[in-house]
Amino acid sequence: MTTGPSNPGDPHGRAAEDPAPTGEDLAALLARLLEETGDRTQKDLAEAAGIKYPTLNAWMNRTRGTSRINPDDLRALGNVMRGWGVEVTPRALFEAAGRPVPGPTDEEREQRLLDIYRQLPTKGQRALIQSAEAMLAGARAS
């Protein structure tokens, strides 16, 4: 478990932050990256990334866990930081959040999967979703 403020909603005083596999957790990484921007604030980052400020602030204060952060939010944080001239990789953000690092986005593969999904009957669509969720759970466990 990472160090930091405890989760006020937890009667045992445990931190809400999920541990990062190695290195900095998300709060530490984002704090360091914000320092590198010079004068940018958490509010600036939240607004630019399209994330509600209270949500980002909870991640930064370790009062909300990070294992269920939407991957698009992590990508948005990285895109904003890179746009501000700060070097950060998607891998660093995903690892700091304790999330499996997704493979590179390939629009052609995504479109093929979407086309297949749309051709399936409802039962097949549900089965495909269950299969994908099981694959994701396996990736998180490893």
Side-chain angles (χ1 to χ4, degrees):
M1 187 164 291
T2 58
T3 59
S6 65
N7 179 357
D10 187 330
H12 304 291
R14 293 181 297 236
E17 182 65 36
D18 300 305
T22 59
E24 298 171 303
D25 68 358
L26 187 64
L29 176 63
L30 291 176
R32 180 176 58 79
L33 295 174
L34 276 171
E35 285 178 17
E36 291 179 23
T37 67
D39 59 347
R40 304 289 181 144
T41 66
Q42 285 184 32
K43 285 186 179 183
D44 295 333
L45 179 57
E47 183 177 315
I51 298 169
K52 293 180 180 179
Y53 171 70
T55 300
L56 178 65
N57 185 260
W59 295 336
M60 298 285 295
N61 289 318
R62 297 180 181 93
T63 57
R64 177 183 267 180
T66 59
S67 66
R68 293 183 179 229
I69 293 177
N70 184 323
D72 290 336
D73 288 342
L74 291 172
R75 287 184 188 98
L77 291 169
N79 290 340
V80 169
M81 287 294 184
R82 285 187 297 279
W84 290 346
V86 176
E87 290 190 34
V88 63
T89 64
R91 173 175 293 281
L93 286 163
F94 278 81
E95 286 179 349
R99 298 294 309 271
V101 180
T105 302
D106 182 323
E107 289 184 30
E108 186 176 319
R109 283 187 301 207
E110 285 182 357
Q111 188 59 52
R112 183 164 181 249
L113 182 59
L114 185 57
D115 290 343
I116 291 168
Y117 175 84
R118 288 178 176 161
Q119 293 176 44
L120 292 170
T122 302
K123 187 176 179 180
Q125 290 175 346
R126 289 184 184 131
L128 182 59
I129 290 169
Q130 284 182 323
S131 177
E133 287 173 339
M135 291 170 61
L136 182 59
R140 287 181 178 153
S142 56

